[in-house]
Amino acid sequence: MEPRIRYAQNGDLNLAYTTLGDAPLDLVFVQGSITNLAVLLDDDRYRAFCERLATFSRLILFDKRGMGLSDRVETGTTMEERMDDVRAILDAVGSARAVVIGVSEGGLMATLFAASHPDRTRALVLIGAETRERNEGDWQWGDGTLEEFEAAMTDWTRWGEGTGIGHLAPSLVDDPAAIAWWGRLQLQAGNPRTIKAHMQASFGTDTRAILPTIAVPTLILHRTADRSVRVEQGRYLAAHIPGATYVELSGVDHLPWVNGEDILAEIEAFVTGERPLGEPDRVLATVLFSD
């Protein structure tokens, strides 16, 4: 049976969401740069990843404001406004506390939420997550300089062609079906104007100052050869979030649902305390504690 799409309200904005599974543990999945629930769940890899998470949780999926099946927002929104959408969706599903998973750019929202709402956050899981996209001064682990970002925002002629899949999931670069699906996700996530507004908000966000204030159990997962978000970002997060557990994994795919069995095993072990049988070996595990 297909998951039912429902809507939560935050002010006058309607946010599309759905749930999978019925375990007592709530887990809200804050995804990366573009979302459309219908297109995402149409992909076998993504669907299998989510269904596995739903074996030990009630998994909450949603489309970000301005994207996918949620209301379009063509003007700039702040990361704080977008972060508050997580609260609105938890309220809509009747969740008092949830494990918050942030992937890639979604890590910015997840980190802000955990710092702002520790009473609503059971734990924080960051996968290939960012803390700052803009390169400047001594921070050179992001996506580029302001000038490079502004230049990239001027050409949208190939939006919808599946460009970027080789960067996000090198394992799929020779898969025409995967490229076509990624192109469909681009088109159905939003038009150039809405996507540009979303990316501008992300590029202007810097969460470094709030990392030491996070007071919930935190797991950070990062692939050593991630081409989209450099592993130094994961190491920085781990070094500055008190008591964080940091696990580096081998592989090149940034999208966690591509070859993501090791990621699933780490999440399950962290949130349930039990490791699945036959789990993949970890490359490196470092537990960091800070007073």
Side-chain angles (χ1 to χ4, degrees), residues 256-267:
W257 59 87
V258 179
N259 298 316
E261 281 299 317
D262 50 356
I263 290 174
L264 288 165
E266 294 295 340
I267 295 173

Side-chain angles (χ1 to χ4, degrees), residues 105-145:
E105 178 267 352
L108 299 171
M109 285 177 62
T111 301
L112 284 169
F113 185 85
S116 303
H117 300 284
D119 57 319
R120 305 293 300 271
T121 308
R122 183 182 296 271
L124 175 65
V125 179
L126 300 173
I127 309 171
E130 301 174 337
T131 189
R132 176 176 175 163
E133 293 185 357
R134 178 176 175 176
N135 286 344
E136 187 178 42
D138 61 352
W139 184 265
Q140 296 297 318
W141 302 328
D143 296 340
T145 64

Side-chain angles (χ1 to χ4, degrees), residues 19 31 86 241:
T19 62
Q31 300 182 132
V86 177
I241 296 178

Side-chain angles (χ1 to χ4, degrees), residues 16-132:
Y17 75 90
T18 192
T19 62
L20 298 174
D22 57 4
L25 176 72
D26 285 339
L27 193 159
V28 60
F29 195 52
V30 186
Q31 300 182 132
S33 58
I34 57 174
T35 67
N36 180 298
L37 289 175
V39 179
L40 284 165
L41 289 167
D42 194 41
D43 179 70
D44 291 341
R45 297 179 187 87
Y46 179 86
R47 182 87 172 230
F49 185 87
C50 290
E51 288 176 346
R52 168 70 181 282
L53 290 174
T55 62
F56 56 87
S57 74
R58 176 173 66 156
L59 179 64
I60 304 161
L61 305 169
F62 69 98
D63 277 340
K64 297 174 182 178
R65 62 169 58 206
M67 283 195 190
L69 305 178
S70 292
D71 284 349
R72 290 289 189 260
V73 179
E74 296 195 358
T75 57
T77 59
T78 67
M79 188 62 68
E80 287 74 17
E81 289 174 314
R82 288 160 54 189
M83 174 270 293
D84 192 56
D85 293 340
V86 177
R87 177 207 51 79
I89 288 178
L90 292 181
D91 288 349
V93 301
S95 177
R97 296 177 73 216
V99 176
V100 181
I101 294 184
V103 177
S104 190
E105 178 267 352
L108 299 171
M109 285 177 62
T111 301
L112 284 169
F113 185 85
S116 303
H117 300 284
D119 57 319
R120 305 293 300 271
T121 308
R122 183 182 296 271
L124 175 65
V125 179
L126 300 173
I127 309 171
E130 301 174 337
T131 189
R132 176 176 175 163

Side-chain angles (χ1 to χ4, degrees), residues 160-234:
E161 294 183 8
T163 55
I165 191 68
H167 195 62
L168 295 165
S171 297
L172 304 181
V173 70
D174 295 320
D175 185 339
I179 296 171
W181 170 81
W182 187 254
R184 184 159 63 95
L185 178 61
Q186 289 176 324
L187 288 176
Q188 297 301 320
N191 58 42
R193 183 183 297 273
T194 59
I195 299 299
K196 180 179 179 179
H198 179 91
M199 291 183 174
Q200 286 173 326
S202 299
F203 195 78
T205 301
D206 185 345
T207 62
R208 289 179 295 175
I210 70 167
L211 299 182
T213 72
I214 294 175
V216 300
T218 301
L219 171 67
I220 300 163
L221 304 172
H222 216 107
R223 296 205 182 278
T224 54
D226 190 326
R227 298 182 185 178
S228 185
V229 178
R230 289 177 55 173
V231 70
E232 286 85 357
Q233 293 231 31

